[in-house]
Amino acid sequence: MRVLGIETSCDETGIAIYDTEQGLLAHQLYSQVKLHADYGGVVPELASRDHVRKTLPLINAALEQAQLTPAQLDGVAYTMGPGLVGALLVGSCIGRSLAYGWQLPAVGVHHMEGHLLAPMLEDNQPQFPFVALLVSGGHTQLVQVKGIGDYALLGESIDDAAGEAFDKTAKLMGLDYPGGPRLAKLAEQGRSGLYRFPRPMTDRPGLDFSFSGLKTFTANTLAASDHEQQTLADIARAFEDAVVDTLVIKCRRALEQTGYKRLVIAGGVSANKHLREQLAALMKKLKGEVFYPRTEFCTDNGAMIALAGALRLQAGERQPLAIKTFPRWPMTDLSPMKAVG
């Protein structure tokens, strides 16, 4: 089954074509970073307008890259939520309309399920069941995954998500947008152990997260510092160490609670080198295995939507003609289905 995937939930326009037998056939991505840089963050109206401009040209480019015509597709998948409502409407309207015009089945995909399944784009694919750590700008969640659509939420952030905390802290440090990756880059120059930041909510039972306090702690530390470049790098390192240690501690608890030996990490923050190193060390100690997508598929992309859509279309799911979007959409509301192939 060949499926066109459309991702427009925030500030990336991602288009891909996935074949359930041959794998990924085409992948096109346009980032709006430059568009939003002057504002220090995503402006929803500008994001929606840019998706309008970019989605159809990228679809044409993907078809050309795969050397396919619409008649050779078997379905269309698009992100139906969660995300920015205007951006979601662009992709949903285009995706559902193209499917109708091309007489193809359509399916709306949950953005976070796309991230969760992204490691299955790789040769080394995780087998069910596993624990998934989903870490992005909008979500930090630990999920027990028994199968596609069979999810149980183990823990989540009660305030800022990990990626959001990175971005807000980077802004406090005067780093340009997008701040999270720039803070991680600065942290590479920092010396570990010079500052000791708290590991929030690790001194109590449970699997929920809280990162807003780290932002405040960083602000206070910055106020008392000399703001030299090396000092800023040391503070960035201390912040990153605190976030990573917290995530690793909670992952270990989730694995012990479920008894699973497989861990999946996905979402934009899963590209963080320090996080990958620490989770690899954890899984080696636990005699388990960690899985993650290649860096280009950690952030929002069409490939994960095409893959998730293909699996659900194969299972017989279909989207009616009515166009719906869900800016807020708990992943546990999804219907379970049997894993395919």
Side-chain angles (χ1 to χ4, degrees):
M1 174 174 277
R2 292 173 180 163
V3 176
L4 172 71
I6 302 171
E7 156 60 23
T8 63
S9 66
C10 190
D11 60 342
E12 271 104 13
T13 311
I15 306 296
I17 298 173
Y18 181 80
D19 189 306
T20 51
E21 293 183 1
Q22 301 177 56
L24 191 62
L25 302 181
H27 173 235
Q28 298 287 325
L29 184 67
Y30 174 78
S31 174
Q32 300 177 359
V33 165
K34 291 183 179 179
L35 176 67
H36 302 290
D38 289 342
Y39 304 94
V42 178
V43 181
E45 178 65 19
L46 295 181
S48 302
R49 290 176 181 272
D50 214 40
H51 286 309
V52 171
R53 286 189 287 266
K54 300 297 182 180
T55 302
L56 286 176
L58 287 176
I59 290 174
N60 289 331
L63 288 167
E64 184 177 346
Q65 181 184 354
Q67 297 183 322
L68 295 173
T69 66
Q72 294 171 292
L73 297 174
D74 300 300
V76 177
Y78 53 86
T79 303
M80 195 162 61
L84 302 175
V85 64
L88 291 169
L89 278 168
V90 175
S92 296
C93 288
I94 291 175
R96 191 64 195 86
S97 299
L98 287 178
Y100 179 77
W102 292 340
Q103 297 183 317
L104 295 173
V107 67
V109 172
H110 192 290
H111 179 77
M112 295 310 295
E113 181 173 65
H115 277 303
L116 187 148
L117 297 177
M120 295 183 179
L121 291 163
E122 309 303 330
D123 293 334
N124 184 27
Q125 300 179 4
Q127 299 297 310
F128 300 109
F130 55 78
V131 169
L133 171 65
L134 303 178
V135 275
S136 66
H139 299 82
T140 301
Q141 298 177 331
L142 277 166
V143 183
Q144 181 179 8
V145 181
K146 295 182 179 179
I148 298 174
D150 191 354
Y151 309 129
L153 183 64
L154 300 174
E156 62 182 340
S157 181
I158 61 175
D159 41 53
D160 290 350
E164 188 177 6
F166 263 95
D167 289 338
K168 289 181 177 180
T169 302
K171 197 168 185 176
L172 285 173
M173 300 181 74
L175 301 177
D176 292 336
Y177 174 84
R182 296 182 189 278
L183 189 152
K185 188 71 176 177
L186 180 62
E188 292 178 7
Q189 305 166 26
R191 296 165 293 184
S192 184
L194 290 187
Y195 293 90
R196 177 67 183 178
F197 281 28
R199 275 57 175 165
M201 295 185 71
T202 58
D203 58 349
R204 66 187 78 174
L207 294 172
D208 285 336
F209 303 90
S210 172
F211 294 110
S212 63
L214 277 178
K215 180 185 62 180
T216 304
F217 194 94
T218 305
N220 293 336
T221 305
L222 284 168
S225 74
D226 56 18
H227 284 75
E228 295 291 334
Q229 185 65 18
Q230 185 58 57
T231 302
L232 292 176
D234 294 339
I235 292 173
R237 177 62 186 269
F239 172 82
E240 183 184 63
D241 283 347
V243 173
V244 169
D245 284 354
T246 301
L247 293 172
V248 171
I249 290 168
K250 297 287 185 166
C251 283
R252 180 167 192 150
R253 287 184 187 176
L255 290 162
E256 291 172 348
Q257 179 176 313
T258 59
Y260 295 167
K261 293 293 185 180
R262 287 181 289 269
L263 174 68
V264 161
I265 58 170
V269 182
S270 70
N272 183 279
K273 294 178 183 178
H274 188 37
L275 177 61
R276 290 193 177 200
E277 290 169 357
Q278 293 302 308
L279 286 176
L282 170 67
M283 297 313 292
K284 184 177 181 180
K285 188 180 298 183
L286 297 179
K287 297 181 180 179
E289 193 172 2
V290 61
F291 302 84
Y292 43 76
R294 71 196 81 164
T295 304
E296 64 187 299
F297 295 146
C298 289
T299 53
D300 296 350
N301 64 87
M304 66 184 194
I305 302 304
L307 167 65
L311 295 176
R312 288 199 170 269
L313 284 168
Q314 271 191 330
E317 293 192 20
R318 299 291 185 269
Q319 196 68 34
L321 275 175
I323 295 171
K324 295 182 179 179
T325 59
F326 300 95
R328 295 183 181 274
W329 188 9
M331 200 165 63
T332 50
D333 287 353
L334 296 175
S335 56
M337 56 165 275
K338 292 182 180 179
V340 178

